[in-house]
Amino acid sequence: MLPVNPDRFLADLHHLRTFGAAGVGKGVVRQAFSDPDIAARKWLVDQYAAAGLETRVDPVGSVWGMAPGKSLLVGSHSDTQPEGGWLDGALGVICGLELARAGAEVGVPISAVSFQDEEGRFGVTTGSRVWGGFTSLDEADRLTDTTGTTFAAARARMADMAGDFVDPARFKGFLECHIEQGPWLDKAGEAAGVVSSIVGIRDMRVTFNGEQNHAGTTPMHLRRDAFRGMLRFQEIIADRFRNVVTPETVWTTGHVDLHPGSHSIVPGRCTFSMQWRDGDKDRLERMEAIIRDAIEETAQELGLTADTSEMLALDPVPMDPAFRAALESAAEEIAPGRWRRMPSGALHDATSVAAHMPVAMLFVPSINGISHAFEEDTADADLVIGLHILAQAAQVMAEG
Amino acid sequence: MLPVNPDRFLADLHHLRTFGAAGVGKGVVRQAFSDPDIAARKWLVDQYAAAGLETRVDPVGSVWGMAPGKSLLVGSHSDTQPEGGWLDGALGVICGLELARAGAEVGVPISAVSFQDEEGRFGVTTGSRVWGGFTSLDEADRLTDTTGTTFAAARARMADMAGDFVDPARFKGFLECHIEQGPWLDKAGEAAGVVSSIVGIRDMRVTFNGEQNHAGTTPMHLRRDAFRGMLRFQEIIADRFRNVVTPETVWTTGHVDLHPGSHSIVPGRCTFSMQWRDGDKDRLERMEAIIRDAIEETAQELGLTADTSEMLALDPVPMDPAFRAALESAAEEIAPGRWRRMPSGALHDATSVAAHMPVAMLFVPSINGISHAFEEDTADADLVIGLHILAQAAQVMAEG
């Protein structure tokens, strides 16, 4: 095992929390490119340098501490949601710092990174997606946040620190530690989850178009009510999904808009979001087929027309088998019987990195499954167990 | 029959359309207290005066042409929706003008009125409700339109014309002609509908509160999804209403809001409108009981909490039996076998007036049931049949 120092690790994790401390519990407000975010990234560069690593801030504001030669990259992101928790990506970043420090002490090549804007002030995992080649810098520069600020303007705030992009060929793989952000480990009293894959996501908007009418004078049997279309659609998919889904499959309608949106008008248009996630690409496609059939059948049955937006499709990303095996045997050694294999229901930077190298992820428990909220927390003991599992596995990965 | 003049009637109806002509088909844009609305009301005052009637603009902008002694009041409203049709209330106003003119010629006392803001720029049937005593002038003055303009500021635009309120005791009853705004007469090829009652309305907002969560990491069985609450509620009421409703009962959800409204977040709150209408007060109450039970059962079943707003309750307004009988025998004489008795699914000024005197309403067909839209129309022949039915019945009512 790499000679990690749990006290130093916890002290640094708490120090990182002071950048943008919300003043509510352990909450943090540190969106990408905000003053606290830039200050935290400067502090990270200093820590990397103190560990003897070669430091770099890349053009999109991701910060790097690099070991010589070909190394294992360990990290996550230090930006937060507008109202975030103290662990989220920060845990993975400080794990990277501590592992790189410990590696440097014993000559095991470990590099560390904090990607920029994982939380999507501008896009989705913006920093790692540009670095991974999924989004060009030009495209990224045109992205805007909710106030209209462009990514170009935001990253200009760190231009004085910025150098070139880092060559992915320097790394033999990527290891990311993250809080689970869900309830499974906490409910089971387990200390760690070795991620099998990051689930795939399908996301689209569905619109039913009917006929806008007076809600007093249009009898029920003559209505073409777009809202009734949405109800019927939801009824059909709820029934048919039962034969397809697993307990880990999720689907969500998080947004609904009726037009014109008046109490006294039968809605002529209903637009709503449909998002579904699963670790199995084939299942995602079977769900898509059910959804598309249900849209068509509903429209036919109720005399509506239907449109769908372009569908966002992120395929599931399997973790590297050898890296997984290293994490699993480390987990069994450090927390025997208190860990599980599990998919990640959330997106992570590892998804972007997987295009270039083997990746693996370790989860620690989220108390009550809470994340993206000031209440987010994990017991110190579980944080340290996670660190030790990583320290054990990283040595194998870095030297393998 | 009063000696009405169909050509003069149609000519005036088309002239009224020129105030705020939308330039799209026969569409009209003439919201209460807009320049075209005020110009149209000045023109009406002139027509009333030319017919030998005593004219009055009351403090809320309703315009009156009054026959001497105790008279029958005939009219409706000349303001329109933001994008309205040419007939809506305008038809009833010109019917009132023509009947008053014809009455004056033969010594039958008929008065005419155009109420202000029936379409609810500020409230609901604002002009007739203030006159009817349902809303005080002080309360009305504090109402605002969607841009924040107060009713007080709007009515100040007609202050130079305004006199006192008219004493309701001057009138022995009220007769209102209106387009159906629904499809029944047009579909059946009928020329007229004698209104049996104006339906009652119940209207409220329902809110389900659950738990806002990450749409990727929160498994389905642990979610408390407020949107699922709305779906389940709608399923329950659709099933139970079947045993209670008639083909003329309607219910509508025209507005839905999910919080926070993101594709990737399980909604913690779902607020939606529930409005139901029926001619039978008892049925309205049985539907309310079903709705309130369904809210409670849904909340219990899905682990949600629920709130409801205050409920708007307008009871059904029956038409006067003697007035109805006069309209029915006139309809059978003028359009034998081509008329029906029917409830009004929409609110009308007659609802406000009914507190003070007997009221009755006649409907003419709406082509394709369309109203509150530029496409609103009725065949000239049907407009004239309606005028003749009114002319026949009004003589009986005014002299009775």
Side-chain angles (χ1 to χ4, degrees), chain B residues 54-141:
Chain B
E54 175 196 345
T55 64
R56 179 85 60 84
V57 177
D58 76 11
V60 294
S62 298
V63 298
W64 304 76
M66 291 171 290
K70 191 136 182 163
S71 59
L72 176 71
L73 182 65
V74 185
S76 187
H77 63 94
S78 52
D79 61 296
T80 73
Q81 287 279 328
E83 298 193 347
W86 73 297
L87 294 170
D88 201 319
L91 171 63
V93 167
I94 300 299
C95 285
L97 171 63
E98 182 59 26
L99 263 68
R101 271 191 303 226
E105 287 170 22
V106 294
V108 176
I110 302 214
S111 297
V113 66
S114 171
F115 288 110
Q116 182 56 295
D117 196 28
E118 194 271 350
E119 297 292 5
R121 176 178 164 193
F122 295 94
V124 178
T125 60
T126 321
S128 62
R129 281 185 78 79
V130 172
W131 181 68
F134 294 93
T135 306
S136 74
L137 194 53
D138 271 2
E139 288 169 330
D141 275 345

Side-chain angles (χ1 to χ4, degrees), chain A residues 181 203 217 223 252 263-264, chain B residues 181 203 217 223 252 263 275:
Chain A
Q181 304 183 287
D203 187 298
T217 57
R223 293 184 178 194
T252 306
H263 286 219
S264 291
Chain B
Q181 304 183 286
D203 187 299
T217 57
R223 294 183 178 195
T252 306
H263 287 219
Q275 183 187 91

Side-chain angles (χ1 to χ4, degrees), chain A residues 21-307:
Chain A
V24 180
K26 293 178 178 169
V28 175
V29 174
R30 194 171 62 225
Q31 266 200 295
F33 300 111
S34 63
D35 289 347
D37 173 62
I38 294 173
R41 288 174 186 276
K42 284 182 176 160
W43 174 78
L44 272 172
V45 168
D46 292 345
Q47 306 315 302
Y48 292 155
L53 302 166
E54 176 196 344
T55 63
R56 180 85 61 86
V57 177
D58 76 12
V60 294
S62 297
V63 297
W64 306 75
M66 291 172 290
K70 192 136 181 164
S71 59
L72 177 72
L73 182 64
V74 184
S76 186
H77 63 94
S78 52
D79 61 296
T80 72
Q81 286 279 328
E83 297 194 347
W86 72 298
L87 295 171
D88 199 319
L91 171 61
V93 167
I94 300 299
C95 284
L97 171 63
E98 182 59 25
L99 265 65
R101 273 190 302 226
E105 288 170 22
V106 294
V108 176
I110 304 216
S111 298
V113 65
S114 170
F115 288 110
Q116 181 58 295
D117 196 28
E118 194 271 352
E119 297 291 6
R121 177 179 164 193
F122 295 94
V124 178
T125 60
T126 321
S128 61
R129 282 185 78 79
V130 172
W131 181 68
F134 294 93
T135 307
S136 74
L137 194 53
D138 271 3
E139 288 169 330
D141 275 345
R142 291 191 294 272
L143 296 171
T144 53
D145 69 5
T146 54
T147 70
T149 303
T150 62
F151 186 74
R155 75 184 178 90
R157 302 196 68 208
M158 291 181 72
D160 59 322
M161 308 161 66
D164 282 345
F165 282 110
V166 171
D167 181 1
R170 291 186 69 142
F171 309 114
K172 54 176 64 167
F174 177 61
L175 177 60
E176 183 171 7
C177 182
H178 208 279
I179 54 168
E180 181 197 345
Q181 304 183 287
W184 296 104
L185 296 175
D186 186 52
K187 277 187 110 62
E190 293 172 347
V194 176
V195 174
S196 52
S197 66
I198 299 175
V199 299
I201 302 182
R202 300 290 184 269
D203 187 298
M204 63 195 224
R205 276 192 312 282
V206 182
T207 300
F208 285 112
N209 303 291
E211 191 172 65
Q212 182 177 326
N213 273 124
H214 191 297
T217 57
T218 315
M220 300 305 280
H221 74 284
L222 293 180
R223 293 184 178 194
R224 297 195 296 120
D225 180 335
F227 173 70
R228 301 278 141 203
M230 197 266 290
L231 293 182
R232 179 69 184 126
F233 165 83
Q234 295 280 354
E235 195 182 3
I236 294 175
I237 63 165
D239 182 51
R240 295 190 191 162
F241 277 180
R242 272 187 233 153
N243 303 317
V244 174
V245 299
T246 74
E248 279 154 357
T249 313
V250 293
W251 65 98
T252 306
T253 292
H255 180 257
V256 174
D257 181 58
L258 303 187
H259 181 85
S262 155
H263 286 219
S264 291
I265 302 182
V266 178
R269 190 171 73 229
C270 175
T271 298
F272 59 99
S273 64
M274 265 306 301
Q275 184 187 91
W276 59 109
R277 305 191 189 207
D278 195 82
D280 177 3
K281 187 179 174 189
D282 184 56
R283 183 171 296 112
L284 289 171
E285 285 167 0
R286 277 181 286 157
M287 293 174 77
E288 182 187 347
I290 288 171
I291 287 166
R292 294 199 186 272
D293 287 350
I295 292 169
E296 200 171 316
E297 288 171 37
T298 299
Q300 195 111 42
E301 190 181 316
L302 302 185
L304 308 172
T305 62
D307 311 314

